[in-house]
Amino acid sequence: MRASLGMLQVGSRAALHWRPHGVSKASSFKARQCLAQCVAARWETGATSPNGVGKSLEGGVYVNSYYDSGNIEIEDMGDASDIKLRIHPDPFCETDNCSHAMWFNFRMTNVAGKALKLHFSNAGQCSFPAAWQGYQACASYDLEHWFRVPTQYNTDSGVLTIEHTPECDAVQYAYFAPYTYNRHRQLIARTQAKPGVKLLMIGETLDGHDLNLLQLGTPGPGKPNVWIIARQHPGEPMAEWFADGLLERLTNKHDAVARHLLRDACMYVMPNVNPDGTWRGHLRTNAAGVNLNRAWAKPCKEDSPEVFHLLRVMDEKGEQQGH
């Protein structure tokens, strides 16, 4: 659950300093004090929260998904070697008639040398349960280098199980190596500073995130516009990893193929069409529960501003080129 202004996630450190309009400082202070007391009491008792934070008294193992692109719910942490989790679903998607789930991303601490066994109890109810067969979860100690860990899926119980003994005090587990919203911002900042690149901020999402479009090359008579968009589904970070590599090559002045492409065409690249879903840890939808891949026929500002603004700019650029 997030505040409607400022995209602050309840339970995060920033939320303790956020005060909505119309609320007095005294009331805000009492609310923060109450929240701090509740958090402290929960850690002391080892209680778990269904909202993505939990502690096991046995061994002091912590689980946390309160951050950019995080997703997990905690059912039971009574035994650090038998932790029961749930993947938090997206908002209900009307076009798909379901609440999608598959993406998970969370951190565990105080785990060095501990034989962890993590059970995802609702894996069988996720969007594509057949995809769990043969799947191996991703893990990382430094959030840069990712590796696979032993993972088994029981088709009878619908439970996915990770078994891993971490070598470091903290480890991150994820459905796939995440490309977080913060990393996306770094990609945009890094790329727009290179020669021949223009950044177009074409609109905002429902959560207030920027919709960033990168133009590479110069439009001209007879030059086609080439559009490359990625990550309408936020739970597919591999698409933005591809866009990252593509942009790196297109902006390499020593790459003959890139120079040839930008001489003959104007490239428009949108590495992340769905930053809200990325930030929230969704699999398929934006903040309103819309599958953007299904919104192109009739996009609107109210529930699919991402596609609405992208399609608007596509039409404008096409008209300018006479296409």
Side-chain angles (χ1 to χ4, degrees):
M1 183 177 182
R2 287 173 172 78
S4 60
L5 297 176
M7 296 77 69
L8 297 181
Q9 191 168 8
V10 175
S12 68
R13 183 178 302 174
L16 295 175
H17 302 284
W18 178 77
R19 177 164 57 91
H21 296 297
V23 176
S24 68
K25 289 185 178 180
S27 297
S28 180
F29 174 77
K30 289 181 180 179
R32 295 198 305 270
Q33 190 177 43
C34 180
L35 177 58
Q37 291 173 349
C38 290
V39 171
R42 180 153 54 81
W43 290 132
E44 288 174 0
T45 60
T48 59
S49 164
N51 296 320
V53 178
K55 173 189 176 184
S56 169
L57 285 179
E58 184 177 335
V61 174
Y62 291 81
V63 174
N64 195 343
S65 66
Y66 270 145
Y67 45 75
D68 175 3
S69 302
N71 182 317
I72 205 63
E73 293 180 5
I74 301 165
E75 289 188 336
D76 184 11
M77 289 189 64
D79 185 349
S81 63
D82 188 24
I83 296 174
K84 295 179 175 60
L85 308 169
R86 286 179 58 85
I87 298 172
H88 186 73
D90 296 2
F92 183 78
C93 178
E94 292 186 1
T95 57
D96 299 353
N97 195 34
C98 69
S99 293
H100 284 290
M102 207 87 172
W103 174 261
F104 61 87
N105 180 21
F106 59 94
R107 184 174 184 252
M108 299 190 68
T109 52
N110 294 345
V111 294
K114 291 183 171 66
L116 300 177
K117 186 175 287 188
L118 314 176
H119 304 288
F120 297 77
S121 63
N122 66 334
Q125 288 78 54
C126 286
S127 299
F128 311 103
W132 294 127
Q133 298 184 46
Y135 167 78
Q136 302 287 287
C138 293
S140 176
Y141 299 123
D142 61 6
L143 302 182
E144 289 293 331
H145 303 88
W146 292 82
F147 54 92
R148 300 286 182 171
V149 292
T151 308
Q152 296 292 329
Y153 178 62
N154 188 314
T155 56
D156 295 328
S157 64
V159 174
L160 183 78
T161 300
I162 296 174
E163 294 188 63
H164 179 228
T165 302
E167 298 176 0
C168 297
D169 293 325
V171 62
Q172 193 89 6
Y173 295 111
Y175 176 66
F176 191 82
Y179 203 107
T180 64
Y181 178 68
N182 188 58
R183 193 177 194 112
H184 165 77
R185 293 178 61 246
Q186 292 173 332
L187 171 64
I188 295 299
R190 181 172 69 249
T191 306
Q192 63 98 26
K194 294 183 178 181
V197 179
K198 183 177 181 180
L199 173 61
L200 306 174
M201 211 287 273
I202 64 174
E204 291 184 341
T205 67
L206 296 173
D207 279 347
H209 290 123
D210 294 345
L211 291 172
N212 296 303
L213 176 67
L214 295 165
Q215 176 185 317
L216 294 87
T218 305
K223 292 179 67 174
N225 293 331
V226 177
W227 292 83
I228 301 172
I229 64 172
R231 212 161 177 197
Q232 293 187 83
H233 295 153
E236 298 170 0
M238 57 290 289
E240 192 159 7
W241 284 111
F242 163 80
D244 188 320
L246 173 68
L247 289 168
E248 183 177 356
R249 182 163 186 186
L250 286 175
T251 55
N252 182 354
K253 63 181 180 181
H254 302 295
D255 192 307
V257 174
R259 294 200 307 270
H260 182 85
L261 284 172
L262 296 178
R263 181 197 66 192
D264 295 343
C266 185
M267 313 283 287
Y268 293 93
V269 181
M270 194 166 185
N272 190 334
V273 180
N274 195 344
D276 285 359
T278 298
W279 175 266
R280 289 167 171 257
H282 289 180
L283 175 73
R284 306 280 280 189
T285 71
N286 70 356
V290 173
N291 184 341
L292 297 180
N293 204 30
R294 309 282 189 267
W296 286 79
K298 294 181 179 179
C300 66
K301 292 182 180 180
E302 289 72 24
D303 64 11
S304 51
E306 302 89 347
V307 175
F308 177 88
H309 290 298
L310 181 55
L311 192 57
R312 170 182 58 78
V313 175
M314 281 183 169
D315 288 340
E316 291 174 357
K317 298 299 181 183
E319 290 174 1
Q320 292 170 8
Q321 290 293 92
H323 296 161

